[in-house]
């Protein structure tokens, strides 16, 4: 999807120039976001304004002080149609004692109608929550070392000279982290990159990993290695089981999810063998974002999230394991700290147009509030989306049509029961447009909250960054199929895009060395054909699956490993390209490109 075309609006996200870290004396330590290059280029002028302009101070219940400075600026947008612009900028900052630096957010005025109190709440959320940290050994322009401490900071410096007279202790408090001199950071980053390529990376049809993606990935890894911290990655995934029972064996996580978690955990274990701090993969549950689009009740999504986490804890119970894979829900992104709930005003999200719920589901208060907040803070213009569809923008129209077809299939059953064929198509199209809008807004939010994390996706991206497609199933253990009888024949589409655990299930055929990933209907059709016996196996909490046995069982069939090697991305025939175009869609994540 052409996110650069689709991602247009007037939300706080679209008014964000970027996020930054700076030292007390004004050195720029990091900058992320769509306007990062502008921030870097104009940092001396921004720094001068921060020192000269009036700043307001607002304490938080956590003890942090939010400092807000507004000023007029002339920005040079090189490479854009508008080379220079006169604008009003707002900078909010807090000082983080853990990283010994200021973390700030820069924005320009919105053309939309947003309450100033909401903007303050959301921007404060960002600077107090974002994972952005100083980048060590970075190539940022040297700025003047004009002291840019605020009046409040100067006061606390004076207090510390009174109550912490020990100069050595003051030096320890004020130090900036340094990269470990003895560590060959680049070599370690390259080893972790090679491990990712071997264990997780999913090759795309038009893959740019070798051209630029590998270097991008390695640079992100090195940022963590320089700080001697776990390599942090974020994966929006594991929403809930599809409501279409022709695809899945039930609403609970099953063996498909179990194998996916094992795959991710194995990668982290292998990273630890290379690099002692290891890695952490954050699974960001996104089921509540779309539950009211896909016909799943909020409490069903909540139960799925809880069951998935319980499954992981039953598989890996140590404290190290708990750091390897971590879980976060939609509401956690906004309300993980008490002061955010206390200062939130529900009138900020009272607009009924924030979310369009065209399918009747049981909605819970917390998920519905979180959905509205995603759209209020990072949502795109729906009218712009409609214009792109009507204008038949190639990329947007392709995704819209493909997602509409997918939803027509996924909602088949109780959700669309009793509707005419034309009504079903219309409903699927309306849902597809809403899902595109929500998905893009969610991607925008994660970009702000996890700007320095390595972003993973279960979809086939071009792998040039910032997102990288991954495979949740090892090639030597699981093969995706559309037919049990033809399970040993290659299925070209699955060389580049595997079905997800939440849209399929595991099928085991007695005598075969690999398991199969398929729709539940594939297993049921095999049983109804009388060529196979068996059924669903609930394996005592380890994850359900279909177990089949051929009626005329011969010798076990050994799968030739050469048939499951990673596919070449250089030679893709026309038929495969057509299949990919029609089927390379997962409504829960596809729009996040």
């Amino acid at each position: 999807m052409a996110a650069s075309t689709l991602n247009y609006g007037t939300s706080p996200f679209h008014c964000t120039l970027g996020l930054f870290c700076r030292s007390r004396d004004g050195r720029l330590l990091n900058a992320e976001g769509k306007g990062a290059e502008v921030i870097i280029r104009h940092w001396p002028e921004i720094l001068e304004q921060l020192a000269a302009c009036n700043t307001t101070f607002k304490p938080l219940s956590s003890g942090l002080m939010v400092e807000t400075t507004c000023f007029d600026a002339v920005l040079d947008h090189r490479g854009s149609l508008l080379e220079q612009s006169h604008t009003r900028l707002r900078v909010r900052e807090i000082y983080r004692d853990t990283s010994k630096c200021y973390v700030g957010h820069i924005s320009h005025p919105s053309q939309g109608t947003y309450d100033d109190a909401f903007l303050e709440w959301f921007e404060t959320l960002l600077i107090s929550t974002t994972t952005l940290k100083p980048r060590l050994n970075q190539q940022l322009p040297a700025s003047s070392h004009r002291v840019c401490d605020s009046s409040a900071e100067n006061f606390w410096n004076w207090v510390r000279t009174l109550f912490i007279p020990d100069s050595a202790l003051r030096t320890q408090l004020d130090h900036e982290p340094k990269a470990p001199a003895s560590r060959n950071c680049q070599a370690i980053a390259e080893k972790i990159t090679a491990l990712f390529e071997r264990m997780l990376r999913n090759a795309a049809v038009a893959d740019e990993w070798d051209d630029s993606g590998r270097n991008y990935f390695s640079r992100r890894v090195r940022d963590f290695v320089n700080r001697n911290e776990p390599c942090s990655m974020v994966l929006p995934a594991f929403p809930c089981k599809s409501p279409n029972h022709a695809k899945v064996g039930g609403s609970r996580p099953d063996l498909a999810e179990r194998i996916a978690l094992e795959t991710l955990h194995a990668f982290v274990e292998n990273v630890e063998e290379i690099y002692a701090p290891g890695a952490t993969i954050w699974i960001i549950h996104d089921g509540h974002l779309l539950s009211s689009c896909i016909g799943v009740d909020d409490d069903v999504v909540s139960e799925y999230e809880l069951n998935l986490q319980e499954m992981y804890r039953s598989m890996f119970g140590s404290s190290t394991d708990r750091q390897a894979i971590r879980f976060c829900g939609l509401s956690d992104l906004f309300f993980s700290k008490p002061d955010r709930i206390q200062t939130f005003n529900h009138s900020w999200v009272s607009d009924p147009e924030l979310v369009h719920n065209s399918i009747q589901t049981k909605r819970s208060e917390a998920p519905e509030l979180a959905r509205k907040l995603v759209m209020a803070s990072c949502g795109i213009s729906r009218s712009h989306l409609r214009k792109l569809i009507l204008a038949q923008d190639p990329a947007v129209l392709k995704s819209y049509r493909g997602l509409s077809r997918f939803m027509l299939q996924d909602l088949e059953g109780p959700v669309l029961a009793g509707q005419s064929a034309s009504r079903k198509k219309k409903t699927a199209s309306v849902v597809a447009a809403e899902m595109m809008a929500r998905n893009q807004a969610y991607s925008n939010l994660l970009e702000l909250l996890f700007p320095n994390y390595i972003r993973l996706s279960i979809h086939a991206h071009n792998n040039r960054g910032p997102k990288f497609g991954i495979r949740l199933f090892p090639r030597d253990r699981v093969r995706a199929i559309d037919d049990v009888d033809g399970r040993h024949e290659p299925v070209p589409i699955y060389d580049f895009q595997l079905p997800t655990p939440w849209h399929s299930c595991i099928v085991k055929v007695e005598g075969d060395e690999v398991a199969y990933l398929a729709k539940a209907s594939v297993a049921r059709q095999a049983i109804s054909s009388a060529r196979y016996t068996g059924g669903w196996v609930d394996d005592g909490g380890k994850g359900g699956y279909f177990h089949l046995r051929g009626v005329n069982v011969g010798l076990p069939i050994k799968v030739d490993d050469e048939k499951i090697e990673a596919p070449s991305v250089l030679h893709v025939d026309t038929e495969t390209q057509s299949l990919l175009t029609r089927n390379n869609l997962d409504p829960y994540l596809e729009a996040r490109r």
Side-chain angles (χ1 to χ4, degrees):
M1 171 173 296
S4 59
T5 303
L6 177 66
N7 200 4
Y8 171 83
T10 60
S11 72
F13 168 84
H14 294 94
C15 297
T16 294
L17 189 62
L19 295 155
F20 67 88
C21 295
R22 71 169 177 90
S23 65
R24 292 179 180 220
D25 62 4
R27 283 173 294 149
L28 185 61
L29 304 176
N30 204 354
E32 292 281 358
K34 56 183 178 292
E37 292 184 3
V38 177
I39 294 174
I40 293 172
R41 188 159 53 247
H42 288 276
W43 182 247
E45 298 96 313
I46 294 172
L47 180 64
E48 184 175 358
Q49 293 292 338
L50 289 177
C53 295
N54 292 329
T55 299
T56 62
F57 308 96
K58 183 173 182 178
L60 301 178
S61 59
S62 61
L64 295 174
M65 181 72 73
V66 180
E67 307 179 19
T68 305
T69 309
C70 298
F71 54 88
D72 294 319
V74 179
L75 300 181
D76 175 17
H77 300 268
R78 295 178 187 172
S80 67
L81 296 177
L82 180 65
E83 293 186 356
Q84 284 191 338
S85 63
H86 296 255
T87 187
R88 183 82 173 166
L89 293 183
R90 178 174 59 248
V91 179
R92 294 196 203 274
E93 297 180 291
I94 60 170
Y95 183 77
R96 288 188 182 175
D97 195 56
T98 53
S99 52
K100 308 301 177 188
C101 72
Y102 281 90
V103 176
H105 172 269
I106 303 181
S107 63
H108 55 81
S110 170
Q111 297 176 354
T113 56
Y114 288 90
D115 191 302
D116 288 342
F118 172 66
L119 293 175
E120 180 181 4
W121 183 89
F122 179 67
E123 292 171 5
T124 300
L125 165 76
L126 292 181
I127 59 177
S128 60
T129 306
T130 182
T131 61
L132 189 65
K133 290 185 179 181
R135 180 181 295 171
L136 304 185
N137 295 333
Q138 59 190 339
Q139 298 296 320
L140 289 177
S143 60
S144 65
H145 285 200
R146 179 194 308 273
V147 175
C148 194
D149 286 345
S150 66
S151 301
E153 187 61 35
N154 288 329
F155 171 76
W156 284 113
N157 286 337
W158 174 73
V159 169
R160 289 196 304 178
T161 63
L162 295 179
F163 296 99
I164 313 178
D166 190 298
S167 59
L169 180 56
R170 288 204 305 273
T171 300
Q172 179 183 358
L173 288 172
D174 292 331
H175 87 288
E176 292 176 6
K178 300 296 188 296
S182 61
R183 183 180 298 278
N184 189 342
C185 298
Q186 183 61 40
I188 292 174
E190 288 297 331
K191 289 181 180 179
I192 295 174
T193 301
L195 182 69
F196 171 80
E197 181 178 19
R198 186 174 73 252
M199 292 191 67
L200 288 185
R201 184 178 73 93
N202 184 51
V205 175
D207 202 275
E208 298 181 36
W209 172 261
D210 290 331
D211 295 334
S212 58
R214 173 190 284 273
N215 289 334
Y216 183 100
F217 189 94
S218 181
R219 287 198 304 272
R220 285 295 188 191
V221 171
R222 189 173 180 180
D223 286 345
F224 293 104
V225 176
N226 283 339
R227 293 192 298 267
N228 202 35
E229 295 178 351
C231 300
S232 295
M233 306 180 182
V234 59
L235 174 65
F238 298 94
C240 63
K241 284 293 191 181
S242 168
N244 188 340
H245 292 167
K247 291 185 174 184
V248 296
S251 61
R252 296 174 60 88
D254 53 38
L255 187 56
E257 277 87 353
R258 187 181 186 90
I259 295 175
L261 292 174
E262 288 173 348
T263 303
L264 297 173
H265 187 270
F267 170 73
V268 174
E269 279 190 320
N270 278 266
V271 171
E272 291 173 357
E273 294 178 3
I274 297 171
Y275 173 58
T280 297
I281 297 178
W282 280 89
I283 292 176
I284 310 298
H285 294 296
D286 50 357
H288 282 130
L289 175 73
L290 300 170
S291 56
S292 60
C293 285
I294 61 177
V296 179
D297 296 340
D298 281 336
D299 60 347
V300 175
V301 174
S302 298
E303 185 177 3
Y304 175 90
E305 293 179 358
L306 180 62
N307 291 337
L308 185 77
Q309 295 175 36
E310 290 175 346
M311 172 182 279
Y312 178 75
R313 286 192 293 268
S314 70
M315 295 161 57
F316 309 104
S318 72
S319 57
T320 302
D321 292 327
R322 286 195 291 272
Q323 296 300 314
I325 308 292
R326 305 188 67 178
F327 300 87
C328 178
L330 183 61
S331 296
D332 298 330
L333 297 177
F334 293 109
F335 298 115
S336 59
K337 295 182 179 180
D339 60 343
R340 295 175 197 157
I341 300 175
Q342 296 167 3
T343 57
F344 183 77
N345 189 328
H346 285 259
S347 65
W348 296 335
V349 291
S350 59
D351 184 354
E353 291 300 308
L354 283 176
V355 292
H356 297 169
N357 297 312
S358 56
I359 295 179
Q360 293 298 316
T361 59
K362 294 180 181 178
R363 300 192 293 273
S364 303
E365 182 178 356
E368 181 71 358
L369 176 59
R371 283 189 287 268
K372 290 180 178 179
L373 270 172
V374 171
M375 303 309 293
S377 60
C378 299
I380 65 171
S381 167
R382 285 191 177 86
S383 62
H384 179 69
L385 171 59
R386 286 192 293 270
K387 289 178 182 178
L388 291 175
I389 295 173
L390 292 174
Q392 297 191 16
D393 177 271
V396 173
L397 188 62
K398 172 185 171 183
S399 292
Y400 171 70
R401 286 175 172 172
L403 191 53
S404 296
R405 286 193 298 267
F406 191 106
M407 292 313 302
L408 183 62
Q409 178 192 70
D410 210 50
L411 295 174
E412 192 63 52
V415 178
L416 298 181
Q419 296 187 13
S420 65
S422 60
R423 180 63 182 173
K424 288 179 181 180
K425 288 183 179 180
K426 183 176 180 179
T427 301
S429 297
V430 171
V431 169
E434 177 66 8
M435 293 179 75
M436 291 172 71
R438 293 193 196 183
N439 273 327
Q440 186 59 61
Y442 200 45
S443 181
N444 293 343
L445 178 64
L446 298 185
E447 180 180 321
L448 294 175
L449 295 179
F450 304 95
N452 59 322
Y453 278 24
I454 299 168
R455 298 180 71 181
L456 307 179
S457 172
I458 53 88
H459 285 283
H461 289 267
N462 55 28
N463 292 325
R464 68 167 176 255
K467 299 179 184 179
F468 298 92
I470 66 170
R471 296 176 65 93
L472 291 176
F473 300 96
R475 293 180 184 276
D476 61 349
R477 187 177 174 188
V478 178
R479 171 184 290 179
I481 62 170
D482 288 330
D483 174 61
V484 175
D485 285 337
R487 63 189 182 277
H488 301 300
E489 298 299 322
V491 184
I493 185 177
Y494 297 141
D495 286 339
F496 300 97
Q497 179 66 68
L498 283 177
T500 62
W502 43 93
H503 278 114
S504 49
C505 55
I506 293 294
V507 179
K508 292 184 178 182
V509 180
E510 191 170 318
D512 288 7
E513 294 182 350
V514 298
Y516 302 98
L517 185 69
K519 297 176 183 177
S521 60
V522 170
R524 295 185 183 119
Q525 287 169 5
I527 297 170
S528 64
S529 72
R531 292 191 295 273
Y532 298 87
T533 60
W536 182 258
V537 177
D538 190 354
D539 196 9
K542 293 183 179 181
Y545 62 93
F546 281 97
H547 181 272
L548 304 183
R549 176 183 174 84
V551 173
N552 298 312
V553 179
L555 294 175
I557 299 175
K558 178 177 176 58
V559 177
D560 186 352
D561 290 341
E562 293 181 359
K563 292 183 179 179
I564 55 175
E565 288 297 318
S568 168
V569 298
L570 300 178
H571 306 287
V572 183
D573 57 43
T574 304
E575 182 180 0
T576 301
Q577 284 278 21
S578 178
L579 283 170
L580 288 167
T581 300
R582 294 198 304 270
N583 296 285
N584 186 20
L585 289 169
D586 175 344
Y588 302 130
L589 288 164
E590 193 279 336
R592 283 170 224 163
R593 297 194 181 277

